[in-house]
Amino acid sequence: MMKNIKIKIEKLKYFFPIICKMVKFRIKVWWYKKYGNKR
Amino acid sequence: MNSETKVCQNCKKDFVIEPDDFAFYEKIKVPAPTFCSECRMMRRLLWRQHRTVYKRPCMMCGIETFGIYHPSVEMNIFCSECWRSDKWDSRDYGIEVDFLRPFLDQMFELRKKVPAESSYTLNSINCRYCIVVIDSKDCYFCFGSINSKSCLYCFAPFLSFNCIDSDVGRNMDSAYGCYNSSSIFRTQYVYFSEECISSSFLFNCIGCSDCFGCINLKSKKYHIFNEPFTQEEYKQKIKYWDMGSYAKVKEAEEKFNEIYYATPHKYAHIINSPDSVGDNIIGGKNCKQCFMALFGVENCKYILSSGLLLRDSQDVSFGGSNSQLMYETSGTEESKSIFFSRGGKVCSDVQYSENCTNSSNLFGCFQMRNRSYCILNKQYKKEEYEVLVPKIIEHMNKMPYISPRGIVYKYGEFFPIEFSPWKYNEAYAFDFIPLSRKEAVDQGFGWREEKQKGYVITKKVSELPDHIKDVSDSITQEIIECAHAESECDELCSKAFRIVSDELEYYRKMNIALPRLCPNCRYSQRKRFKTTPKLYHRTCMKSSCKNEFETAYSYDRKEIIYCDTCYKVDFL
């Protein structure tokens, strides 16, 4: 159990910037859906 | 130790084992390989199923389920529910080691008896005809779908929604006909691109929106065939390229292909990866001959389609995910010190085993869960295990398994291809290194002959309306002939296909022309820009440059290949 949690924490540390990038894109898509290509 | 040249047992060609390879083999205490790296990869690829679905009954409950094993394969196949239940224990099938017979013979005899899961399905709802689906919902005919929703005919979509015919991508939304593209939204026919919105026919573009038929662009808007336009001009011009019309799609595709072959390409797709050689490497370090090594692959060699913090490993395919010291494994995750094994998760010190989970110290075991110190699925005490394993290794070297083709499998070789439940055209090898039927049979890989399905074609491709707006609802009742049906198609062509109601609704909503090919032929069309996992020594094709590099673009490919420096000068 502890081993699994450790693995998950290590993965999360590495993937945090990648997840942030993905979330940023999702926000961009949300903006695009709402306002089109306007800034 | 110096490098050594050996003759590959399989292809009979010379191959070199480098000093750092010897150091790795010494570290994990395994003998040097007798197959070259390509044949080793091929062997592992033959042990992984790709895009074929078969119906066969569960041997426990008798219910017919869809799975990855052909009905003729001699194995004890359980449906996911039965396989995950506590009604059986893999140790019940355990056998004693017989020192009068080759160990691999005994191992694969045991494999036929131990229950295997028909297809890996976990936490998924309403996923029909899907193989290997995890945390997904409402998917249809998807392979390797993870955390995805409403995806149809996709291969390896990850965190994706409302996609059709889009493969090997993450964070895709409303994508159609895309390949190896991530973070894309409302895109069609986009290949090897990232963060693109409302675009069609793109290759290697990053952060583009409202672009059409473009190659190698970065953060651009309103471009058509690599030419910039103003917003108004773009809106006027894009009206001509109506994606709802099949004739217009074909015209755009031809023009896009022309531009693709006229535009220079970078020799390899390597991002943030110092000291790395191969193709499609992202966020790695010291990766040699690695293909599709994504996110945190360090000090690894001969890696294919693996990643997520994989370290100090060699000859790994489809694995990784926080693993280290792996050698000759396929599809193993979150593990340490795994050799000559396939499948499995959270294991350590496992050799010659398959699909073992949460286990350690296993040798020649199948489908073990939460077990330690087992050999051929039989439980031993720690002391007995430690005495027996060196004895078996010695026995494997003294009495090796010899294949019908005369290949000697001593300790230190992955599973022989004869024991694979899949033939060449069903296995992953067909996707990465396509061979014709004759070539595959000649090389001893076998070929699964298609059973005559006897579809009654109710609609020919020529009878389909050109524009999606002219398609009636009755199309979902028709059996449409694949455009490749009458030609000799080696791409697992199913000869006929149907349009399901969700698919038709999507095509109408997104203004996409009806497809003319069956799902398997469409998949092979999408992966046409993909390179094979093999390196070629080539020179930069810019007239003034003589730089040499290792690239996955073979000599016979028509693309113009530039070195890193020349590519940066021209495109960045």
PDB file of all heavy atoms in Angstrom, chain A residues 21-39, chain B residues 161 171-174 183-186 196-198:
ATOM      1  N   LYS A  21       0.028  22.104 -17.936  1.00  0.00           N
ATOM      2  CA  LYS A  21      -0.017  22.469 -19.354  1.00  0.00           C
ATOM      3  C   LYS A  21      -1.333  21.995 -19.983  1.00  0.00           C
ATOM      4  O   LYS A  21      -1.943  22.704 -20.785  1.00  0.00           O
ATOM      5  CB  LYS A  21       1.170  21.801 -20.064  1.00  0.00           C
ATOM      6  CG  LYS A  21       1.789  22.642 -21.154  1.00  0.00           C
ATOM      7  CD  LYS A  21       2.983  21.931 -21.721  1.00  0.00           C
ATOM      8  CE  LYS A  21       3.223  22.335 -23.141  1.00  0.00           C
ATOM      9  NZ  LYS A  21       4.224  21.513 -23.791  1.00  0.00           N
ATOM     10  N   MET A  22      -1.741  20.775 -19.580  1.00  0.00           N
ATOM     11  CA  MET A  22      -2.984  20.226 -20.113  1.00  0.00           C
ATOM     12  C   MET A  22      -4.183  21.027 -19.625  1.00  0.00           C
ATOM     13  O   MET A  22      -5.106  21.315 -20.391  1.00  0.00           O
ATOM     14  CB  MET A  22      -3.115  18.750 -19.714  1.00  0.00           C
ATOM     15  CG  MET A  22      -2.285  17.841 -20.601  1.00  0.00           C
ATOM     16  SD  MET A  22      -2.017  16.230 -19.918  1.00  0.00           S
ATOM     17  CE  MET A  22      -3.513  15.421 -20.303  1.00  0.00           C
ATOM     18  N   VAL A  23      -4.135  21.413 -18.351  1.00  0.00           N
ATOM     19  CA  VAL A  23      -5.230  22.207 -17.781  1.00  0.00           C
ATOM     20  C   VAL A  23      -5.293  23.572 -18.486  1.00  0.00           C
ATOM     21  O   VAL A  23      -6.376  24.065 -18.827  1.00  0.00           O
ATOM     22  CB  VAL A  23      -5.058  22.359 -16.247  1.00  0.00           C
ATOM     23  CG1 VAL A  23      -6.033  23.368 -15.669  1.00  0.00           C
ATOM     24  CG2 VAL A  23      -5.221  21.014 -15.558  1.00  0.00           C
ATOM     25  N   LYS A  24      -4.116  24.140 -18.747  1.00  0.00           N
ATOM     26  CA  LYS A  24      -4.046  25.441 -19.439  1.00  0.00           C
ATOM     27  C   LYS A  24      -4.722  25.328 -20.816  1.00  0.00           C
ATOM     28  O   LYS A  24      -5.460  26.221 -21.225  1.00  0.00           O
ATOM     29  CB  LYS A  24      -2.564  25.820 -19.609  1.00  0.00           C
ATOM     30  CG  LYS A  24      -2.336  27.272 -19.986  1.00  0.00           C
ATOM     31  CD  LYS A  24      -0.859  27.541 -20.123  1.00  0.00           C
ATOM     32  CE  LYS A  24      -0.607  28.543 -21.215  1.00  0.00           C
ATOM     33  NZ  LYS A  24       0.777  28.517 -21.676  1.00  0.00           N
ATOM     34  N   PHE A  25      -4.482  24.215 -21.485  1.00  0.00           N
ATOM     35  CA  PHE A  25      -5.091  24.030 -22.803  1.00  0.00           C
ATOM     36  C   PHE A  25      -6.607  23.890 -22.681  1.00  0.00           C
ATOM     37  O   PHE A  25      -7.347  24.410 -23.502  1.00  0.00           O
ATOM     38  CB  PHE A  25      -4.479  22.816 -23.502  1.00  0.00           C
ATOM     39  CG  PHE A  25      -5.032  22.605 -24.885  1.00  0.00           C
ATOM     40  CD1 PHE A  25      -4.623  23.405 -25.938  1.00  0.00           C
ATOM     41  CD2 PHE A  25      -5.996  21.641 -25.128  1.00  0.00           C
ATOM     42  CE1 PHE A  25      -5.156  23.243 -27.204  1.00  0.00           C
ATOM     43  CE2 PHE A  25      -6.541  21.470 -26.390  1.00  0.00           C
ATOM     44  CZ  PHE A  25      -6.111  22.262 -27.437  1.00  0.00           C
ATOM     45  N   ARG A  26      -7.045  23.167 -21.619  1.00  0.00           N
ATOM     46  CA  ARG A  26      -8.489  23.000 -21.434  1.00  0.00           C
ATOM     47  C   ARG A  26      -9.149  24.367 -21.207  1.00  0.00           C
ATOM     48  O   ARG A  26     -10.248  24.620 -21.687  1.00  0.00           O
ATOM     49  CB  ARG A  26      -8.809  22.092 -20.232  1.00  0.00           C
ATOM     50  CG  ARG A  26      -8.362  20.672 -20.278  1.00  0.00           C
ATOM     51  CD  ARG A  26      -8.816  19.845 -21.411  1.00  0.00           C
ATOM     52  NE  ARG A  26     -10.193  19.936 -21.788  1.00  0.00           N
ATOM     53  CZ  ARG A  26     -10.703  19.345 -22.868  1.00  0.00           C
ATOM     54  NH1 ARG A  26      -9.923  18.626 -23.648  1.00  0.00           N
ATOM     55  NH2 ARG A  26     -11.953  19.472 -23.171  1.00  0.00           N
ATOM     56  N   ILE A  27      -8.458  25.269 -20.482  1.00  0.00           N
ATOM     57  CA  ILE A  27      -9.002  26.620 -20.241  1.00  0.00           C
ATOM     58  C   ILE A  27      -9.077  27.374 -21.581  1.00  0.00           C
ATOM     59  O   ILE A  27     -10.050  28.056 -21.875  1.00  0.00           O
ATOM     60  CB  ILE A  27      -8.149  27.378 -19.185  1.00  0.00           C
ATOM     61  CG1 ILE A  27      -8.260  26.672 -17.824  1.00  0.00           C
ATOM     62  CG2 ILE A  27      -8.557  28.832 -19.069  1.00  0.00           C
ATOM     63  CD1 ILE A  27      -7.250  27.107 -16.798  1.00  0.00           C
ATOM     64  N   LYS A  28      -8.035  27.187 -22.394  1.00  0.00           N
ATOM     65  CA  LYS A  28      -7.989  27.821 -23.718  1.00  0.00           C
ATOM     66  C   LYS A  28      -9.178  27.352 -24.563  1.00  0.00           C
ATOM     67  O   LYS A  28      -9.822  28.141 -25.256  1.00  0.00           O
ATOM     68  CB  LYS A  28      -6.663  27.422 -24.382  1.00  0.00           C
ATOM     69  CG  LYS A  28      -6.156  28.402 -25.417  1.00  0.00           C
ATOM     70  CD  LYS A  28      -4.778  27.976 -25.859  1.00  0.00           C
ATOM     71  CE  LYS A  28      -4.425  28.508 -27.209  1.00  0.00           C
ATOM     72  NZ  LYS A  28      -3.144  28.005 -27.683  1.00  0.00           N
ATOM     73  N   VAL A  29      -9.449  26.046 -24.486  1.00  0.00           N
ATOM     74  CA  VAL A  29     -10.568  25.466 -25.242  1.00  0.00           C
ATOM     75  C   VAL A  29     -11.892  26.029 -24.724  1.00  0.00           C
ATOM     76  O   VAL A  29     -12.766  26.402 -25.518  1.00  0.00           O
ATOM     77  CB  VAL A  29     -10.542  23.918 -25.150  1.00  0.00           C
ATOM     78  CG1 VAL A  29     -11.857  23.314 -25.628  1.00  0.00           C
ATOM     79  CG2 VAL A  29      -9.392  23.355 -25.972  1.00  0.00           C
ATOM     80  N   TRP A  30     -11.994  26.123 -23.395  1.00  0.00           N
ATOM     81  CA  TRP A  30     -13.213  26.688 -22.804  1.00  0.00           C
ATOM     82  C   TRP A  30     -13.407  28.117 -23.316  1.00  0.00           C
ATOM     83  O   TRP A  30     -14.492  28.511 -23.705  1.00  0.00           O
ATOM     84  CB  TRP A  30     -13.087  26.658 -21.270  1.00  0.00           C
ATOM     85  CG  TRP A  30     -14.165  27.423 -20.567  1.00  0.00           C
ATOM     86  CD1 TRP A  30     -15.416  26.988 -20.304  1.00  0.00           C
ATOM     87  CD2 TRP A  30     -14.080  28.764 -20.084  1.00  0.00           C
ATOM     88  NE1 TRP A  30     -16.132  27.966 -19.673  1.00  0.00           N
ATOM     89  CE2 TRP A  30     -15.341  29.075 -19.521  1.00  0.00           C
ATOM     90  CE3 TRP A  30     -13.081  29.745 -20.059  1.00  0.00           C
ATOM     91  CZ2 TRP A  30     -15.611  30.317 -18.948  1.00  0.00           C
ATOM     92  CZ3 TRP A  30     -13.352  30.976 -19.499  1.00  0.00           C
ATOM     93  CH2 TRP A  30     -14.608  31.254 -18.949  1.00  0.00           C
ATOM     94  N   TRP A  31     -12.354  28.911 -23.319  1.00  0.00           N
ATOM     95  CA  TRP A  31     -12.397  30.293 -23.805  1.00  0.00           C
ATOM     96  C   TRP A  31     -12.819  30.319 -25.276  1.00  0.00           C
ATOM     97  O   TRP A  31     -13.659  31.114 -25.694  1.00  0.00           O
ATOM     98  CB  TRP A  31     -11.010  30.928 -23.637  1.00  0.00           C
ATOM     99  CG  TRP A  31     -10.965  32.368 -24.073  1.00  0.00           C
ATOM    100  CD1 TRP A  31     -10.730  32.837 -25.326  1.00  0.00           C
ATOM    101  CD2 TRP A  31     -11.201  33.511 -23.271  1.00  0.00           C
ATOM    102  NE1 TRP A  31     -10.790  34.189 -25.358  1.00  0.00           N
ATOM    103  CE2 TRP A  31     -11.077  34.641 -24.103  1.00  0.00           C
ATOM    104  CE3 TRP A  31     -11.499  33.702 -21.906  1.00  0.00           C
ATOM    105  CZ2 TRP A  31     -11.238  35.932 -23.639  1.00  0.00           C
ATOM    106  CZ3 TRP A  31     -11.657  35.011 -21.453  1.00  0.00           C
ATOM    107  CH2 TRP A  31     -11.532  36.098 -22.305  1.00  0.00           C
ATOM    108  N   TYR A  32     -12.228  29.404 -26.046  1.00  0.00           N
ATOM    109  CA  TYR A  32     -12.515  29.339 -27.488  1.00  0.00           C
ATOM    110  C   TYR A  32     -13.979  28.999 -27.726  1.00  0.00           C
ATOM    111  O   TYR A  32     -14.628  29.570 -28.592  1.00  0.00           O
ATOM    112  CB  TYR A  32     -11.607  28.282 -28.143  1.00  0.00           C
ATOM    113  CG  TYR A  32     -11.618  28.343 -29.648  1.00  0.00           C
ATOM    114  CD1 TYR A  32     -10.717  29.140 -30.349  1.00  0.00           C
ATOM    115  CD2 TYR A  32     -12.544  27.608 -30.379  1.00  0.00           C
ATOM    116  CE1 TYR A  32     -10.740  29.200 -31.723  1.00  0.00           C
ATOM    117  CE2 TYR A  32     -12.578  27.658 -31.764  1.00  0.00           C
ATOM    118  CZ  TYR A  32     -11.670  28.458 -32.426  1.00  0.00           C
ATOM    119  OH  TYR A  32     -11.694  28.517 -33.801  1.00  0.00           O
ATOM    120  N   LYS A  33     -14.505  28.071 -26.914  1.00  0.00           N
ATOM    121  CA  LYS A  33     -15.908  27.668 -27.066  1.00  0.00           C
ATOM    122  C   LYS A  33     -16.830  28.844 -26.748  1.00  0.00           C
ATOM    123  O   LYS A  33     -17.851  29.028 -27.375  1.00  0.00           O
ATOM    124  CB  LYS A  33     -16.221  26.516 -26.109  1.00  0.00           C
ATOM    125  CG  LYS A  33     -15.859  25.142 -26.663  1.00  0.00           C
ATOM    126  CD  LYS A  33     -16.231  24.092 -25.640  1.00  0.00           C
ATOM    127  CE  LYS A  33     -15.802  22.709 -26.061  1.00  0.00           C
ATOM    128  NZ  LYS A  33     -15.932  21.739 -24.975  1.00  0.00           N
ATOM    129  N   LYS A  34     -16.424  29.649 -25.746  1.00  0.00           N
ATOM    130  CA  LYS A  34     -17.282  30.735 -25.271  1.00  0.00           C
ATOM    131  C   LYS A  34     -17.172  31.999 -26.132  1.00  0.00           C
ATOM    132  O   LYS A  34     -18.167  32.591 -26.494  1.00  0.00           O
ATOM    133  CB  LYS A  34     -16.919  31.045 -23.815  1.00  0.00           C
ATOM    134  CG  LYS A  34     -18.039  31.736 -23.092  1.00  0.00           C
ATOM    135  CD  LYS A  34     -17.907  31.674 -21.608  1.00  0.00           C
ATOM    136  CE  LYS A  34     -19.123  32.358 -21.025  1.00  0.00           C
ATOM    137  NZ  LYS A  34     -19.004  32.596 -19.634  1.00  0.00           N
ATOM    138  N   TYR A  35     -15.930  32.361 -26.452  1.00  0.00           N
ATOM    139  CA  TYR A  35     -15.735  33.652 -27.141  1.00  0.00           C
ATOM    140  C   TYR A  35     -15.148  33.523 -28.544  1.00  0.00           C
ATOM    141  O   TYR A  35     -14.848  34.521 -29.177  1.00  0.00           O
ATOM    142  CB  TYR A  35     -14.816  34.559 -26.309  1.00  0.00           C
ATOM    143  CG  TYR A  35     -15.293  34.780 -24.906  1.00  0.00           C
ATOM    144  CD1 TYR A  35     -14.666  34.180 -23.825  1.00  0.00           C
ATOM    145  CD2 TYR A  35     -16.398  35.598 -24.651  1.00  0.00           C
ATOM    146  CE1 TYR A  35     -15.104  34.375 -22.526  1.00  0.00           C
ATOM    147  CE2 TYR A  35     -16.852  35.799 -23.358  1.00  0.00           C
ATOM    148  CZ  TYR A  35     -16.208  35.198 -22.303  1.00  0.00           C
ATOM    149  OH  TYR A  35     -16.658  35.392 -21.028  1.00  0.00           O
ATOM    150  N   GLY A  36     -14.926  32.351 -29.020  1.00  0.00           N
ATOM    151  CA  GLY A  36     -14.304  32.173 -30.337  1.00  0.00           C
ATOM    152  C   GLY A  36     -12.846  32.566 -30.282  1.00  0.00           C
ATOM    153  O   GLY A  36     -12.184  32.383 -29.258  1.00  0.00           O
ATOM    154  N   ASN A  37     -12.348  33.163 -31.347  1.00  0.00           N
ATOM    155  CA  ASN A  37     -10.918  33.467 -31.414  1.00  0.00           C
ATOM    156  C   ASN A  37     -10.574  34.872 -30.903  1.00  0.00           C
ATOM    157  O   ASN A  37      -9.479  35.366 -31.105  1.00  0.00           O
ATOM    158  CB  ASN A  37     -10.428  33.293 -32.852  1.00  0.00           C
ATOM    159  CG  ASN A  37      -9.120  32.551 -32.884  1.00  0.00           C
ATOM    160  OD1 ASN A  37      -8.446  32.424 -31.867  1.00  0.00           O
ATOM    161  ND2 ASN A  37      -8.751  32.060 -34.046  1.00  0.00           N
ATOM    162  N   LYS A  38     -11.547  35.516 -30.224  1.00  0.00           N
ATOM    163  CA  LYS A  38     -11.272  36.879 -29.721  1.00  0.00           C
ATOM    164  C   LYS A  38     -10.390  36.818 -28.488  1.00  0.00           C
ATOM    165  O   LYS A  38     -10.503  35.913 -27.687  1.00  0.00           O
ATOM    166  CB  LYS A  38     -12.608  37.550 -29.325  1.00  0.00           C
ATOM    167  CG  LYS A  38     -13.501  37.877 -30.484  1.00  0.00           C
ATOM    168  CD  LYS A  38     -14.827  38.358 -29.946  1.00  0.00           C
ATOM    169  CE  LYS A  38     -15.956  37.923 -30.868  1.00  0.00           C
ATOM    170  NZ  LYS A  38     -17.205  37.757 -30.164  1.00  0.00           N
ATOM    171  N   ARG A  39      -9.531  37.817 -28.318  1.00  0.00           N
ATOM    172  CA  ARG A  39      -8.663  37.838 -27.143  1.00  0.00           C
ATOM    173  C   ARG A  39      -9.378  38.538 -25.999  1.00  0.00           C
ATOM    174  O   ARG A  39     -10.150  39.420 -26.212  1.00  0.00           O
ATOM    175  CB  ARG A  39      -7.364  38.561 -27.462  1.00  0.00           C
ATOM    176  CG  ARG A  39      -6.473  37.679 -28.283  1.00  0.00           C
ATOM    177  CD  ARG A  39      -5.084  38.236 -28.360  1.00  0.00           C
ATOM    178  NE  ARG A  39      -4.308  37.422 -29.268  1.00  0.00           N
ATOM    179  CZ  ARG A  39      -3.617  36.360 -28.906  1.00  0.00           C
ATOM    180  NH1 ARG A  39      -3.598  35.978 -27.676  1.00  0.00           N
ATOM    181  NH2 ARG A  39      -2.932  35.682 -29.789  1.00  0.00           N
TER     182      ARG A  39
ATOM    183  N   PHE B 161     -11.941  13.148 -25.413  1.00  0.00           N
ATOM    184  CA  PHE B 161     -13.397  13.186 -25.449  1.00  0.00           C
ATOM    185  C   PHE B 161     -13.886  13.389 -26.880  1.00  0.00           C
ATOM    186  O   PHE B 161     -13.250  14.127 -27.654  1.00  0.00           O
ATOM    187  CB  PHE B 161     -13.933  14.344 -24.587  1.00  0.00           C
ATOM    188  CG  PHE B 161     -13.279  14.441 -23.250  1.00  0.00           C
ATOM    189  CD1 PHE B 161     -12.188  15.293 -23.058  1.00  0.00           C
ATOM    190  CD2 PHE B 161     -13.711  13.658 -22.194  1.00  0.00           C
ATOM    191  CE1 PHE B 161     -11.559  15.365 -21.829  1.00  0.00           C
ATOM    192  CE2 PHE B 161     -13.085  13.734 -20.970  1.00  0.00           C
ATOM    193  CZ  PHE B 161     -12.001  14.574 -20.782  1.00  0.00           C
ATOM    194  N   ASN B 171      -5.370  14.298 -24.266  1.00  0.00           N
ATOM    195  CA  ASN B 171      -6.077  15.570 -24.175  1.00  0.00           C
ATOM    196  C   ASN B 171      -6.662  16.004 -25.525  1.00  0.00           C
ATOM    197  O   ASN B 171      -6.557  17.158 -25.914  1.00  0.00           O
ATOM    198  CB  ASN B 171      -5.104  16.635 -23.642  1.00  0.00           C
ATOM    199  CG  ASN B 171      -5.804  17.746 -22.914  1.00  0.00           C
ATOM    200  OD1 ASN B 171      -6.980  17.641 -22.596  1.00  0.00           O
ATOM    201  ND2 ASN B 171      -5.092  18.827 -22.663  1.00  0.00           N
ATOM    202  N   MET B 172      -7.273  15.080 -26.237  1.00  0.00           N
ATOM    203  CA  MET B 172      -7.891  15.418 -27.525  1.00  0.00           C
ATOM    204  C   MET B 172      -9.383  15.661 -27.291  1.00  0.00           C
ATOM    205  O   MET B 172     -10.001  14.973 -26.498  1.00  0.00           O
ATOM    206  CB  MET B 172      -7.744  14.273 -28.520  1.00  0.00           C
ATOM    207  CG  MET B 172      -6.313  13.870 -28.816  1.00  0.00           C
ATOM    208  SD  MET B 172      -6.196  12.630 -30.117  1.00  0.00           S
ATOM    209  CE  MET B 172      -6.794  11.162 -29.311  1.00  0.00           C
ATOM    210  N   ASP B 173      -9.922  16.628 -27.963  1.00  0.00           N
ATOM    211  CA  ASP B 173     -11.343  16.928 -27.848  1.00  0.00           C
ATOM    212  C   ASP B 173     -11.880  17.207 -29.255  1.00  0.00           C
ATOM    213  O   ASP B 173     -11.320  18.030 -29.988  1.00  0.00           O
ATOM    214  CB  ASP B 173     -11.524  18.161 -26.932  1.00  0.00           C
ATOM    215  CG  ASP B 173     -12.965  18.388 -26.549  1.00  0.00           C
ATOM    216  OD1 ASP B 173     -13.841  17.787 -27.183  1.00  0.00           O
ATOM    217  OD2 ASP B 173     -13.211  19.164 -25.612  1.00  0.00           O
ATOM    218  N   SER B 174     -12.927  16.522 -29.621  1.00  0.00           N
ATOM    219  CA  SER B 174     -13.543  16.688 -30.947  1.00  0.00           C
ATOM    220  C   SER B 174     -12.518  16.586 -32.075  1.00  0.00           C
ATOM    221  O   SER B 174     -12.439  17.454 -32.937  1.00  0.00           O
ATOM    222  CB  SER B 174     -14.281  18.026 -31.041  1.00  0.00           C
ATOM    223  OG  SER B 174     -15.140  18.176 -29.958  1.00  0.00           O
ATOM    224  N   SER B 183      -3.331  17.514 -27.025  1.00  0.00           N
ATOM    225  CA  SER B 183      -3.995  18.783 -26.729  1.00  0.00           C
ATOM    226  C   SER B 183      -4.502  19.434 -28.009  1.00  0.00           C
ATOM    227  O   SER B 183      -4.021  20.477 -28.455  1.00  0.00           O
ATOM    228  CB  SER B 183      -3.036  19.747 -25.995  1.00  0.00           C
ATOM    229  OG  SER B 183      -2.682  19.202 -24.752  1.00  0.00           O
ATOM    230  N   ILE B 184      -5.464  18.799 -28.615  1.00  0.00           N
ATOM    231  CA  ILE B 184      -6.055  19.358 -29.846  1.00  0.00           C
ATOM    232  C   ILE B 184      -7.565  19.468 -29.652  1.00  0.00           C
ATOM    233  O   ILE B 184      -8.158  18.679 -28.939  1.00  0.00           O
ATOM    234  CB  ILE B 184      -5.716  18.504 -31.102  1.00  0.00           C
ATOM    235  CG1 ILE B 184      -5.992  17.014 -30.846  1.00  0.00           C
ATOM    236  CG2 ILE B 184      -4.284  18.733 -31.549  1.00  0.00           C
ATOM    237  CD1 ILE B 184      -5.856  16.135 -32.063  1.00  0.00           C
ATOM    238  N   PHE B 185      -8.127  20.452 -30.305  1.00  0.00           N
ATOM    239  CA  PHE B 185      -9.567  20.679 -30.172  1.00  0.00           C
ATOM    240  C   PHE B 185     -10.163  21.044 -31.529  1.00  0.00           C
ATOM    241  O   PHE B 185      -9.628  21.903 -32.229  1.00  0.00           O
ATOM    242  CB  PHE B 185      -9.812  21.807 -29.148  1.00  0.00           C
ATOM    243  CG  PHE B 185     -11.244  22.251 -29.091  1.00  0.00           C
ATOM    244  CD1 PHE B 185     -12.243  21.382 -28.670  1.00  0.00           C
ATOM    245  CD2 PHE B 185     -11.604  23.539 -29.452  1.00  0.00           C
ATOM    246  CE1 PHE B 185     -13.565  21.796 -28.621  1.00  0.00           C
ATOM    247  CE2 PHE B 185     -12.921  23.961 -29.404  1.00  0.00           C
ATOM    248  CZ  PHE B 185     -13.913  23.078 -28.988  1.00  0.00           C
ATOM    249  N   ARG B 186     -11.236  20.407 -31.875  1.00  0.00           N
ATOM    250  CA  ARG B 186     -11.935  20.621 -33.138  1.00  0.00           C
ATOM    251  C   ARG B 186     -10.961  20.567 -34.327  1.00  0.00           C
ATOM    252  O   ARG B 186     -10.827  21.525 -35.090  1.00  0.00           O
ATOM    253  CB  ARG B 186     -12.667  21.962 -33.101  1.00  0.00           C
ATOM    254  CG  ARG B 186     -14.136  21.803 -33.438  1.00  0.00           C
ATOM    255  CD  ARG B 186     -14.852  23.113 -33.350  1.00  0.00           C
ATOM    256  NE  ARG B 186     -15.602  23.257 -32.130  1.00  0.00           N
ATOM    257  CZ  ARG B 186     -16.193  24.369 -31.745  1.00  0.00           C
ATOM    258  NH1 ARG B 186     -16.100  25.453 -32.455  1.00  0.00           N
ATOM    259  NH2 ARG B 186     -16.871  24.414 -30.626  1.00  0.00           N
ATOM    260  N   CYS B 196      -3.314  22.529 -30.874  1.00  0.00           N
ATOM    261  CA  CYS B 196      -3.907  23.166 -32.054  1.00  0.00           C
ATOM    262  C   CYS B 196      -5.423  23.189 -31.924  1.00  0.00           C
ATOM    263  O   CYS B 196      -6.020  22.262 -31.390  1.00  0.00           O
ATOM    264  CB  CYS B 196      -3.506  22.427 -33.318  1.00  0.00           C
ATOM    265  SG  CYS B 196      -1.732  22.534 -33.614  1.00  0.00           S
ATOM    266  N   ILE B 197      -6.006  24.279 -32.414  1.00  0.00           N
ATOM    267  CA  ILE B 197      -7.454  24.464 -32.305  1.00  0.00           C
ATOM    268  C   ILE B 197      -8.041  24.769 -33.682  1.00  0.00           C
ATOM    269  O   ILE B 197      -7.437  25.531 -34.460  1.00  0.00           O
ATOM    270  CB  ILE B 197      -7.779  25.620 -31.308  1.00  0.00           C
ATOM    271  CG1 ILE B 197      -7.354  25.221 -29.881  1.00  0.00           C
ATOM    272  CG2 ILE B 197      -9.235  25.999 -31.339  1.00  0.00           C
ATOM    273  CD1 ILE B 197      -7.555  26.299 -28.841  1.00  0.00           C
ATOM    274  N   SER B 198      -9.192  24.212 -33.958  1.00  0.00           N
ATOM    275  CA  SER B 198      -9.949  24.536 -35.171  1.00  0.00           C
ATOM    276  C   SER B 198      -9.088  24.505 -36.432  1.00  0.00           C
ATOM    277  O   SER B 198      -9.026  25.485 -37.160  1.00  0.00           O
ATOM    278  CB  SER B 198     -10.550  25.933 -35.010  1.00  0.00           C
ATOM    279  OG  SER B 198     -11.912  25.838 -34.916  1.00  0.00           O
TER     280      SER B 198
END
